[in-house]
Amino acid sequence: MSRNDAAPGTVTAPPGRIRRMLSHLYIQCLIGVLLGAAVGWLWPSVGADLKPLGDGFIALVKMFIAPVIFCTVVHGIASMGDARAVGRVGLKALVYFEVLTTVAMVIGLVVVNVVKPGSGLHVDVSTLSAKGLPPEATGAHEGFAEFVLAIIPATLVGALTGNEILPVLLVSVLFGFGLHASGEAGLGIARGIEKFSTVLFTLIRWIMRLAPIGAFGSMAFTIGNYGLGTLRHLALLVGSFWLTALLFVLVVLGGVMRLNGLRLLPFLRYIKEELLIVLGTSSTESVLPRMMAKLQHAGASKPVVGITLPAGYSFNLDGTAIYLTMSSVFLAQALGIDLSLTQQLTMLAVMLLTSKGAAGVTGSGFIALAATLSAVPHVPVAALALIFGIDRFMSEARALTSLVGNGVATLAVARWEGELDEDRARAVLRGEISYAPTPAPSAVTAEPDPKETPAPTHAPVPAAN
């Protein structure tokens, strides 16, 4: 029977429309997440064995993070007329990060004290054991001085081959200033670096086509390994954490967007593909290159994006901040430990440091919580065994909240610096200017005079779609 011979009253979607819907990456990722959850639920052993699919996808993307940050930051700084603006951007970003992180922690502290999800459990601490926890959770944790020294790589090239963002950012800033100070000699290198970044984004665009497979494998592993029934035991903690994260995003981050003349919900629609990828992989690092490209496409200048967004991955983890306060107080409640306000504020102060070491990868928030409990002896580290089984179900909310928080931070800092094309940003968020699925031509068409101050550009960068 042909399509025209369909029975009367039958509604059929045009094949062309279906194909267009399925061509969107966010639809593919959504299908991957749903199929992964179904496989993990119906065939738990099969789902648990699919973890390498998610891990492999994250590894492929992480392979490009260091060179993308290096190229973006170096070219952005080298093309700026006023080098002092870089330091000003970094200072504003750090102040913003500290304020928003503190607000997130305070909100989490208030909610967990009001809801009291751990009260009534009466867990005997002598029955708990650190056995089975990750080695990082029970080992020695670095202090503040060690954390700062770890930012300095052993070699200049070594920073680009490691897994840490801050050493890459340090080397990129230094190299960018070096090119900027070299005048005419650095122009050719700066143009070459930008052309190289075009190649990188082309490769990333190819790899992102594997995102639905990665989301499928990660979600199948989560449901298959831990089971849907795991949530039943600590549903109040998980539910209150997700609601607190949602409250922070809608109220606090939404307020920041409105203060800067933008709206949050259109921004969430704009990054819906990245949100679905993070939901499936529980890793914000898996979408860092795409977020850098999209924020520049939305009108934020390359230097601001290159400095603020990567720095936010270590200094502005809003979701992890909420998780740390709620989980630590929950464990105290479960053990029957009555924490005074002074003790809770002391833990909050420690968390402002331990949260900075939690990069945007799966499980890092749990390690940051272990570091906090080790530094403040109010709650034993062995208590982590109580929430280890359900930590994965909170990691998605941590990652999603931190991703949105860093995107909002980048737009806010760009506007404060006068480096945001506000008309373009509104048009992009309204959908009037679509995100190009193909690489844009190089923005450098002629050699600028190093003595002149070039105007900030807001041209689209190579897309990672």
Side-chain angles (χ1 to χ4, degrees), residues 147-371:
F147 170 72
V148 173
L149 291 175
I151 298 176
I152 305 174
T155 64
L156 191 70
V157 179
L160 303 180
T161 59
N163 295 320
E164 299 295 332
I165 291 179
L166 290 180
V168 179
L169 194 58
L170 174 64
V171 169
S172 302
V173 170
L174 292 176
F175 198 80
F177 275 120
L179 288 182
H180 185 276
S182 300
E184 194 72 28
L187 287 179
I189 298 177
R191 291 206 315 276
I193 287 176
E194 188 185 28
K195 293 180 185 298
F196 180 61
S197 69
T198 303
V199 177
L200 289 178
F201 277 107
T202 299
L203 297 176
I204 291 170
R205 192 177 69 254
W206 295 346
I207 289 177
M208 292 312 298
R209 286 301 170 189
L210 300 176
I213 299 176
F216 167 77
S218 294
M219 188 57 67
F221 164 75
T222 299
I223 302 301
N225 195 52
Y226 299 119
L228 293 173
T230 308
L231 291 174
R232 191 184 313 122
H233 302 285
L234 298 172
L236 187 56
L237 172 62
V238 175
S240 59
F241 173 68
W242 273 83
L243 289 176
T244 304
L246 182 62
L247 174 70
F248 176 82
V249 169
L250 295 179
V251 177
V252 178
L253 298 182
V256 173
M257 289 288 282
R258 284 198 171 273
L259 287 175
N260 289 279
L262 301 173
R263 296 175 57 201
L264 178 67
L265 293 183
F267 177 67
L268 296 180
R269 286 195 295 268
Y270 178 57
I271 61 170
K272 58 183 177 293
E273 294 177 354
E274 290 70 32
L275 292 173
L276 282 171
I277 294 171
V278 170
L279 177 65
T281 62
S282 297
S283 169
T284 55
E285 283 194 344
S286 61
V287 295
L288 176 57
R290 286 177 58 92
M291 284 294 292
M292 296 178 75
K294 278 199 165 182
L295 289 170
Q296 290 178 56
H297 176 73
S301 68
K302 180 177 288 189
V304 173
V305 173
I307 294 173
T308 306
L309 190 63
Y313 267 57
S314 287
F315 291 97
N316 189 44
L317 299 176
D318 298 325
T320 300
I322 298 172
Y323 166 81
L324 290 177
T325 51
M326 294 193 69
S327 297
S328 58
V329 176
F330 167 82
L331 293 176
Q333 293 171 350
L335 296 176
I337 300 173
D338 186 17
L339 294 177
S340 65
L341 179 60
T342 301
Q343 290 174 322
Q344 292 189 33
L345 293 178
T346 301
M347 293 181 68
L348 188 148
V350 172
M351 291 170 190
L352 286 174
L353 296 178
T354 55
S355 64
K356 306 311 178 193
V361 294
T362 306
S364 58
F366 187 80
I367 305 305
L369 177 60

Side-chain angles (χ1 to χ4, degrees), residues 94-132:
L94 290 177
V95 171
Y96 174 93
F97 294 160
E98 287 304 312
V99 172
L100 266 289
T101 301
T102 303
V103 170
M105 288 183 175
V106 170
I107 292 176
L109 204 60
V110 171
V111 171
V112 75
N113 278 283
V114 172
V115 179
K116 297 184 183 298
S119 297
L121 289 180
H122 305 297
V123 176
D124 185 358
V125 68
S126 63
T127 63
L128 299 176
S129 171
K131 183 179 180 180

Side-chain angles (χ1 to χ4, degrees), residues 69 72-80 82 85-94 97 169 173 288 291-292 295-296 299-312 406-421 456-458:
I69 292 176
T72 303
V73 175
V74 168
H75 182 267
I77 294 176
S79 61
M80 290 187 72
D82 183 8
V86 178
R88 191 170 62 245
V89 169
L91 180 60
K92 288 183 178 180
L94 290 177
F97 294 160
L169 194 58
V173 170
L288 176 57
M291 284 294 292
M292 296 178 75
L295 289 170
Q296 290 178 56
S301 68
K302 180 177 288 189
V304 173
V305 173
I307 294 173
T308 306
L309 190 63
N406 283 318
V408 171
T410 303
L411 294 177
V413 173
R415 183 178 181 272
W416 298 340
E417 275 293 297
E419 295 286 336
L420 176 67
D421 188 336
T457 61
H458 306 284

